[in-house]
Amino acid sequence: MTHRIRPAFFSALLVIALSVPVFGLKLTTEGIALIVEGATASTYWIIAACAVGMFFWTLFHERLAAGWAASPNLPRILAGAGSFLTLPSTQRWIICTLIVVALVWPFFGSRGAVDIATLILIYVMLGLGLNIVVGLAGLLDLGYVGFYAVGAYTYALLSEYFGFGFWSALPIAGAMAALFGFLLGFPVLRLRGDYLAIVTLGFGEIIRILLRNMTDITGGPNGISGIEKPTLFGLSFDRRAEEGMQTFHQFFGLEYESIHKVIFLYLIAVLLVLLTLFVINRLLRMPIGRAWEALREDEIACRALGMNPTIIKLSAFTLGATFAGFAGSFFAARQGLVSPESFTFIESAIILAIVVLGGMGSQLGVILAATVMILLPELMREFSEYRMLMFGALMVVMMIWRPQGLLPMQRPHLELKP
Amino acid sequence: MLYFTNVSTCYGKIQALHEVNVEVRKGEIVTLIGANGAGKSTLLMTLCGSPQAASGSIRYEGEELVGLQTPQIMRKSIAVVPEGRRVFARLTVEENLAMGGFFTAKQDFQEQMDRVLTLFPRLKERLEQRAGTMSGGEQQMLAIGRALMSKPKLLLLDEPSLGLAPIIIQQIFEIIEQLREDGVTIFLVEQNANQALKLADRGYVLENGHIVMQGTGEELLADPKVRDAYLGG
């Protein structure tokens, strides 16, 4: 154990050093003495406790780990539950239950909760789309938010200049995002790994900066506002309808309530997520789905089998972009406002975190992770200053505890007829 | 069936193959032996179109292959078992085989699957297992099985004995012989010259990118120069 003492001391010192930026402490010189500013007595106690805790942890954690491994009960139960949860049949049941719950609860939930749920669903859609690119085809895409922006602006511009409604613009937005995915994919897909990540990262930024600077068309940093909200077969959800239109509450003879609109938006989001899930599930069972995974495993072997890696990658890239386009146009419709600031790199990072956290390739995992990633910051508003710190901590804990993700994928089996 | 005529291949400025002439006739097992870096794998890869031949011609069943892209070549009833097996580690055995049959017509698919599974009963036991968790020998069987899924007339094998135990090598070679009896023409690139020449109808010896010797398997086995250089005297 003596050999652990030095690293233990070092860790404790590191805790103290790190506490300075984390707690926003200021070091100032007063004469020849160094003074710490901005700390109360309790802050000192917290830092001291953390340092002591870290000291002992570093000293003893090997023994603790050994003790943990020696007591077989806990981990085994966890592992059993984990593999049960990730079985395809279980996942199907869970998804069915989730769908029913998702369709029913908003009628009893509060307005704020439904609104947050809608936001979560947007991220689920984005996560599912990126999951194709990163989780299945293994192409690290850090500029995914670019396609999201393309979708959002497509609808915003169509609505602003040509008076398109949400439903007619939705497929166009998807197609535009797909086109951008295709155009970007063509030159960059010969790159691999880190290089691909950097180029896609650049692409995301280019889109954002382009949108900010094409002031004449996109309104620059102010964005586009007053985007039309979705309608239900021509019934709007506003208090008063425009001329020649009818509102939802008039048509059904209800009192006007603003929550109708929120629930309606939520239901559209559920619909879009279901559509995404359905399409991806179908694709996974088709040869192209397996080809994506095969490509992730071994590109050379794929070529040896006569497959064309470029086409397979391009299909994954384009399809992933399409779903981002759908999500983007829905986002624009929900907000009624788009501006370049909604499409910064941190959005790409959050979507990627959702995919990684959920377990690469796992759809249920993506849903769970999106819920966690969006809900946690909302629930912990008091700690909003430490939000990024918590993301970081969450990622570190995940990589240690469950590197394969919350609910890693167990792939559907191809069935052989006897 | 397959003719290399004066084929040269370069990696940048380095010429790896010098005017190579090789012929594979229908129903034969032809082996190509040579030391490390002699250009054996290069020859095979040139046939597959990656890298492209710098000059010369490769004809397969009367059709010129030089200038075609790899995916086009690999769909012409040619299948390759790449060096180092390269199975899809996280896919199951069954899915690996299915990937091999990616371009196989639907009505042939099941037939090919059955054929491969009869040839390799071991794979049948492990259909649901992930390929990466199997032993080297089993992975090699899977790689061969995967190549066979496309119903090839010509099978190219790049060092199938690489890193395998002698008893497994024996099995793999028996299977290769069996495949020939089923009518598959085989072009075998090997370092294990002894075994390969025993099996082969004809053989070529490659040295620094030149074909230095050719003949039937027995001739080469008996040749003192081959014995010295490749069979350990």
Side-chain angles (χ1 to χ4, degrees):
Chain A
M1 199 188 343
T2 43
H3 72 284
R4 303 291 314 170
I5 285 183
R6 252 163 48 137
F9 262 118
F10 180 73
S11 311
L13 279 177
L14 206 64
V15 169
I16 295 171
L18 274 179
S19 64
V20 174
V22 167
F23 284 98
L25 305 182
K26 231 185 234 168
L27 290 174
T28 49
T29 47
E30 203 168 85
I32 52 164
L34 202 62
I35 306 280
V36 183
E37 266 181 15
T40 58
S42 64
T43 317
Y44 286 127
W45 279 113
I46 292 172
I47 297 173
C50 286
V52 171
M54 193 66 200
F55 178 81
F56 284 111
W57 166 253
T58 317
L59 211 55
F60 293 116
H61 84 265
E62 278 180 354
R63 292 188 165 199
L64 286 175
W68 178 262
S71 71
N73 286 332
L74 265 172
R76 201 180 289 161
I77 290 165
L78 272 174
S83 68
F84 172 72
L85 278 174
T86 50
L87 273 177
S89 59
T90 326
Q91 293 216 350
R92 205 170 307 137
W93 276 109
I94 296 177
I95 286 181
C96 286
T97 321
L98 277 181
I99 291 171
V100 174
V101 172
L103 286 176
V104 172
W105 80 268
F107 296 101
F108 309 101
S110 74
R111 187 194 159 113
V114 177
D115 212 32
I116 291 174
T118 313
L119 189 66
I120 291 174
L121 287 172
I122 293 181
Y123 280 92
V124 168
M125 224 185 309
L126 289 168
L128 288 172
L130 187 62
N131 197 17
I132 300 178
V133 184
V134 178
L136 295 175
L139 306 164
L140 186 52
D141 181 356
L142 292 182
Y144 193 64
V145 77
F147 305 122
Y148 184 37
V150 168
Y153 267 87
T154 304
Y155 174 45
L157 291 172
L158 284 176
S159 155
E160 169 100 355
Y161 291 105
F162 303 103
F164 272 63
F166 172 72
W167 295 108
S168 46
L170 183 70
I172 304 178
M176 274 304 277
L179 180 70
F180 270 74
F182 185 79
L183 289 179
L184 173 75
F186 223 55
V188 307
L189 284 179
R190 60 192 65 223
L191 303 172
R192 266 178 230 178
D194 314 357
Y195 303 101
L196 180 69
I198 291 169
V199 174
T200 51
L201 171 68
F203 170 77
E205 288 299 285
I206 288 171
I207 292 273
R208 184 173 63 85
I209 292 167
L210 206 67
L211 291 172
R212 204 173 60 195
N213 287 306
M214 296 201 317
T215 322
D216 296 342
I217 305 170
T218 64
N222 298 330
I224 300 171
S225 55
I227 301 166
E228 216 177 293
K229 299 269 179 189
T231 56
L232 177 71
F233 300 111
L235 298 174
S236 94
F237 281 81
D238 296 327
R239 187 180 288 274
R240 260 180 287 281
E242 289 170 38
E243 237 169 89
M245 300 261 284
Q246 223 178 352
T247 61
F248 175 76
H249 63 101
Q250 281 171 345
F251 187 83
F252 287 98
L254 300 168
E255 276 294 294
Y256 173 73
E257 269 183 77
S258 60
I259 195 168
H260 286 159
K261 183 158 75 185
V262 179
I263 293 179
F264 178 60
L265 280 172
Y266 169 83
L267 290 178
I268 295 178
V270 172
L271 192 74
L272 286 174
V273 166
L274 289 181
L275 178 79
T276 312
L277 275 173
F278 176 74
V279 171
I280 293 176
N281 267 312
R282 283 329 277 279
L283 285 168
L284 269 184
R285 281 173 175 75
M286 276 160 60
I288 184 75
R290 249 174 292 123
W292 288 333
E293 290 181 69
L295 194 73
R296 177 192 67 201
E297 297 295 313
D298 199 320
E299 190 171 331
I300 292 177
C302 277
R303 286 158 59 95
L305 296 175
M307 288 181 257
N308 191 334
T310 319
I311 291 177
I312 296 171
K313 282 184 189 174
L314 211 54
S315 65
F317 219 67
T318 311
L319 210 75
T322 313
F323 290 117
F326 288 150
S329 68
F330 177 73
F331 172 77
R334 170 177 174 265
Q335 304 288 93
L337 161 85
V338 286
S339 83
E341 294 324 300
S342 310
F343 307 106
T344 49
F345 170 66
I346 191 74
E347 292 292 316
S348 281
I350 289 175
I351 304 166
L352 187 63
I354 286 173
V355 174
V356 175
L357 199 65
M360 297 271 212
S362 152
Q363 297 173 42
L364 199 56
V366 166
I367 297 174
L368 185 65
T371 314
V372 171
M373 290 290 283
I374 307 303
L375 205 56
L376 273 188
E378 294 291 339
L379 289 180
M380 301 196 292
R381 290 218 160 191
E382 298 93 281
F383 304 101
S384 58
E385 288 166 50
Y386 302 111
R387 191 172 160 207
M388 283 342 250
L389 194 70
M390 283 181 180
F391 273 167
L394 189 63
M395 282 288 148
V396 172
V397 169
M398 280 295 299
M399 287 304 117
I400 294 169
W401 178 57
R402 239 183 129 78
Q404 71 276 46
L406 289 174
L407 294 171
M409 178 172 65
Q410 288 187 356
R411 292 189 341 286
H413 290 299
L414 176 82
E415 262 149 58
L416 266 186
K417 285 157 220 95
Chain B
M1 189 178 202
L2 179 72
Y3 299 93
F4 288 75
T5 321
N6 299 326
V7 173
S8 300
T9 306
C10 302
Y11 292 111
K13 279 186 183 158
I14 300 160
Q15 191 169 1
L17 290 180
H18 300 265
E19 312 242 309
V20 171
N21 289 294
V22 170
E23 181 191 350
V24 180
R25 294 178 209 131
K26 207 171 179 69
E28 274 187 327
I29 296 181
V30 175
T31 183
L32 180 70
I33 58 175
N36 276 330
K40 304 187 299 292
S41 293
T42 305
L43 184 78
L44 203 70
M45 297 302 285
T46 307
L47 166 59
C48 299
S50 156
Q52 288 276 343
S55 65
S57 118
I58 304 170
R59 298 188 83 80
Y60 171 69
E61 298 201 308
E63 203 174 346
E64 181 62 51
L65 296 186
V66 174
L68 292 184
Q69 296 293 315
T70 308
Q72 291 172 305
I73 297 171
M74 302 322 297
R75 286 182 223 167
K76 288 191 189 302
S77 69
I78 301 177
V80 61
V81 180
E83 187 175 0
R85 309 188 272 272
R86 293 194 172 271
V87 293
F88 303 119
R90 278 189 284 175
L91 270 58
T92 63
V93 169
E94 196 172 356
E95 287 165 331
N96 266 276
L97 292 176
M99 290 315 296
F102 198 75
F103 294 105
T104 314
K106 258 205 177 123
Q107 61 269 26
D108 290 347
F109 186 88
Q110 202 54 48
E111 188 193 324
Q112 283 305 306
M113 185 72 102
D114 292 341
R115 184 176 156 212
V116 168
L117 293 181
T118 351
L119 204 57
F120 300 103
R122 188 73 71 86
L123 295 184
K124 196 167 190 170
E125 296 161 21
R126 312 202 163 213
L127 275 180
E128 303 280 298
Q129 198 174 328
R130 294 202 178 198
T133 62
M134 299 199 301
S135 75
E138 288 161 347
Q139 289 188 22
Q140 187 64 60
M141 290 177 192
L142 177 57
I144 296 174
R146 186 178 63 183
L148 289 174
M149 284 300 291
S150 65
K151 211 175 176 182
K153 290 184 196 151
L154 174 64
L155 184 66
L156 315 168
L157 293 136
D158 198 350
E159 302 218 17
S161 71
L162 192 72
L164 298 181
I167 184 156
I168 308 284
I169 298 178
Q170 199 59 49
Q171 282 178 21
I172 299 273
F173 277 49
E174 275 164 22
I175 285 163
I176 294 173
E177 192 141 31
Q178 203 178 329
L179 284 176
R180 191 252 307 263
E181 276 155 32
D182 290 350
V184 184
T185 309
I186 285 161
F187 186 50
L188 174 67
V189 169
E190 256 302 343
Q191 286 224 34
N192 192 333
N194 196 7
Q195 298 253 15
L197 289 174
K198 271 185 200 156
L199 182 75
D201 299 309
R202 290 184 310 111
Y204 292 86
V205 181
L206 197 61
E207 237 171 55
N208 295 326
H210 298 272
I211 296 283
V212 291
M213 235 181 284
Q214 53 180 304
T216 63
E218 293 100 52
E219 278 170 18
L220 288 176
L221 264 180
D223 191 291
K225 271 188 273 177
V226 175
R227 299 194 69 85
D228 275 355
Y230 302 107
L231 304 176

